[in-house]
Amino acid sequence: MRYHRRDVVERAIAVLDEYGLESLSMRRLAAELGLQPSALYHHVPNKQTLLAAIADEILARGRRERQAVEWDRRVVEICCELRDAMLAYRDGCDVVATAHTFGLGASEPATALRAALRDSGLPDDLVEVGTRALLHLVFGHTAEEQAALQAASAGAIDWEPGGTGDFEAGIGLLLDGLRSKVHR
Amino acid sequence: MRYHRRDVVERAIAVLDEYGLESLSMRRLAAELGLQPSALYHHVPNKQTLLAAIADEILARGRRERQAVEWDRRVVEICCELRDAMLAYRDGCDVVATAHTFGLGASEPATALRAALRDSGLPDDLVEVGTRALLHLVFGHTAEEQAALQAASAGAIDWEPGGTGDFEAGIGLLLDGLRSKVHR
DNA sequence: ACCTGAACACCGTTCAAGT
DNA sequence: ACCTGAACACCGTTCAAGT
């Protein structure tokens, strides 16, 4: 059977979700598709690129309509969408955050947050600082939450994840800081 | 020659700083010490534990006196000390942040931040949310900064790191949010 | 206590060759 | 265009045996 890039990315996400990032090797993925490892390099130049494609696909699958009009409500909406998208797949936060760090894709949320902050009337440098701070908070909180959720579902119930409340509280603190800088 | 745990950790930090995290393998470290790979397992139960020990040592080497008395100045002091400690070694942020995420050591900064926020009179839940948010900001910003610094020193000068200004601005935004929650 | 030697079960990537 | 087969240069970890 003959595959295309899209098939490889889709199967990679399935392997990721079922067995976790540490089990998602090029050799394992090839075996899952009934291919030799070398065949994968026809569809993807290397593993890093594959992971970036997975990150983009995870974000695309988590996309939903954004309806808020005020800039601060929109920030919360974007952050929650990002968090939910990453939580929907095992190790999703790891994959998306890494891709973002390496500057390979996963850039839509950053763009959307920047646009929202720009609409607030904040000066350019604060737009930039705020965007990055918001992303760090979302990635940091979600990574912790996902680790806790996965540890709990593996039986090691050592910590109840703060959940949505803690998440929105953290974002809220930063948003308070940003709002105080908007001169009306 | 006979080694102790301390020698192994010290040599591991030297390898990390000179060749980077991706080159710090158990086999490479063993070779650097003139040992068989299996000999390392006499000093350390596994690689994860070694990395946690490295993280703790990096933080210990970056320790400095904290002199601020007001809680918010102390928060800035702790965050800056943490950032500087991690920036002092190649891939230091990666190692410390990972150890912290896995709950293996690297816990002193969290403890110190929690204590500072407690002194502010903030309610317990906000102390917790604030501590984690501050750590996420420090790790997120420092990871980005260190990646940019290392890319720049490797010749790929694609982005000037925001530096201390951007760092303190991000922390400052969150601190504004926290200060607005302190009832006086 | 600390170390060697050998093995087990893996990695990512390249490249000539096949259809 | 898509794939096989074989190879290269690696991993972390275990375990019996040596001193």
Side-chain angles (χ1 to χ4, degrees), chain A residues 96-119:
Chain A
V96 174
T98 302
H100 178 264
T101 295
F102 280 62
L104 304 164
S107 58
E108 198 281 334
T111 307
L113 285 172
R114 226 186 313 267
L117 291 191
R118 226 186 278 287
D119 282 357

Side-chain angles (χ1 to χ4, degrees), chain B residues 31-45:
Chain B
E32 207 83 21
L33 291 162
L35 294 177
Q36 294 296 316
S38 50
L40 294 178
Y41 292 85
H42 246 269
H43 302 100
V44 122

Side-chain angles (χ1 to χ4, degrees), chain B residues 78-165:
Chain B
I78 296 162
C79 290
C80 289
E81 179 188 313
L82 174 55
R83 165 173 170 266
D84 291 345
M86 296 190 293
L87 286 180
Y89 295 90
R90 162 120 82 130
D91 292 332
C93 185
D94 229 327
V95 174
V96 174
T98 303
H100 178 264
T101 295
F102 281 60
L104 304 165
S107 57
E108 197 282 333
T111 307
L113 285 172
R114 226 185 314 267
L117 291 191
R118 226 185 279 286
D119 282 356
S120 72
L122 245 18
D124 284 8
D125 55 337
L126 272 181
V127 168
E128 226 45 46
V129 168
T131 300
R132 293 205 322 252
L134 284 165
L135 286 171
H136 294 149
L137 246 36
V138 176
F139 287 135
H141 177 98
T142 309
E144 241 178 45
E145 188 177 358
Q146 191 158 49
L149 285 169
Q150 287 170 188
S153 90
I157 318 164
D158 59 338
W159 187 63
E160 69 275 31
T164 312

Side-chain angles (χ1 to χ4, degrees), chain A residues 125-182:
Chain A
D125 56 336
L126 272 182
V127 168
E128 225 45 48
V129 168
T131 300
R132 297 211 312 260
L134 284 165
L135 285 172
H136 294 150
L137 246 37
V138 176
F139 287 136
H141 177 97
T142 309
E144 241 178 46
E145 189 177 356
Q146 191 158 49
L149 285 169
Q150 288 169 187
S153 90
I157 318 164
D158 59 338
W159 187 62
E160 69 276 30
T164 312
D166 272 22
F167 176 73
E168 294 192 27
I171 302 293
L173 284 172
L174 195 58
L175 229 27
D176 281 345
L178 287 167
R179 271 189 288 252
S180 74
K181 296 305 194 274
V182 179

